[in-house]
């Protein structure tokens, strides 16, 4: 079961005490770079308004919540398309439970496949290092490196 620590949960959803923010301010609160904020804005994940006096984007507490959600989803391995789907169905958890469960199940399946591949790669590398240790000088040569690079990955 996925569990968020109380601090992550607080950081994700407790932003109501924040007024409007400029890009540097929201970036500092979300612990990301201003370029990251601008990128997510260009991708349509944030909804700032433009200040008519100077044309600067002004971000709200909802933008901060969304930004924090995007960061957590990213850490969980969700890609940008999946995050957009999650956010397009409402502002705070608007995605239906069954749809969210399906997204998490799909991500878990991909993660299991990646782990299997990484374990296979680790085992191949361990075996290769063992072969290299048995060489007279203990160092790989061009032939052994080529053999490792030609080894099947699946």
């Amino acid at each position: 079961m996925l569990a968020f620590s109380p601090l992550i949960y607080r950081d994700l959803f407790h932003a109501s005490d924040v007024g409007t923010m400029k890009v540097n301010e929201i970036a500092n609160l979300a612990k990301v770079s201003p370029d990251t904020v601008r990128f997510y804005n260009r991708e349509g994940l944030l909804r700032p308004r433009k200040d008519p006096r100077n044309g600067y984007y002004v971000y709200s507490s909802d933008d901060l919540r969304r930004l924090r959600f995007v960061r957590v989803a990213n850490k969980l391995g969700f890609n940008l398309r999946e995050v957009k789907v999650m956010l397009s169905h409402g502002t705070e958890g608007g995605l239906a439970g069954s749809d969210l469960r399906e997204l998490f199940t799909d991500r878990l399946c991909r993660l299991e496949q990646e782990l299997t591949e990484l374990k296979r790669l680790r085992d191949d590398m361990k075996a290769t290092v063992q072969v290299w240790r048995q060489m007279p000088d203990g160092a790989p040569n061009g032939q052994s490196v080529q053999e490792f690079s030609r080894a099947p990955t699946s």
Side-chain angles (χ1 to χ4, degrees):
M1 182 165 96
L2 178 67
F4 291 114
S5 77
L7 291 177
I8 291 174
Y9 185 81
R10 185 203 65 211
D11 287 347
L12 270 175
F13 299 109
H14 184 62
S16 58
D17 56 341
V18 179
T20 59
M21 300 159 278
K22 294 179 183 169
V23 69
N24 286 330
E25 295 166 330
I26 192 172
N28 286 335
L29 287 170
K31 299 179 181 134
V32 299
S33 72
D35 286 338
T36 298
V37 173
R38 290 181 189 102
F39 172 75
Y40 289 142
N41 189 30
R42 281 191 307 272
E43 292 296 320
L45 297 172
L46 304 176
R47 298 178 179 150
R49 62 177 177 77
K50 276 196 173 185
D51 186 331
R53 297 172 294 170
N54 56 24
Y56 291 165
Y57 285 112
V58 179
Y59 298 87
S60 68
S61 58
D62 284 339
D63 290 309
L64 180 58
R65 250 190 306 281
R66 291 171 71 86
L67 181 56
R68 287 175 172 163
F69 174 82
V70 170
R71 299 301 293 165
V72 169
N74 182 261
K75 286 179 183 179
L76 291 172
F78 289 100
N79 63 41
L80 197 57
R81 181 188 54 77
E82 292 165 326
V83 173
K84 284 180 179 181
V85 167
M86 287 184 231
L87 289 175
S88 70
H89 288 83
T91 55
E92 217 175 277
L95 194 61
S98 59
D99 293 334
L100 189 57
R101 185 174 36 253
E102 184 178 338
L103 276 174
F104 269 74
T105 301
D106 290 347
R107 175 61 191 130
L108 182 59
C109 182
R110 288 194 324 266
L111 182 61
E112 293 288 348
Q113 291 169 347
E114 292 168 19
L115 284 171
T116 299
E117 183 59 33
L118 284 171
K119 287 176 183 177
R120 192 177 4 254
L121 179 60
R122 180 199 59 203
D123 293 345
D124 290 348
M125 290 180 80
K126 280 182 176 181
T128 301
V129 168
Q130 278 301 109
V131 168
W132 290 346
R133 285 187 180 137
Q134 295 171 6
M135 293 179 162
D137 62 358
N141 59 29
Q143 180 181 352
S144 64
V145 172
Q146 287 177 352
E147 288 172 6
F148 175 75
S149 67
R150 284 192 293 244
T153 58
S154 23

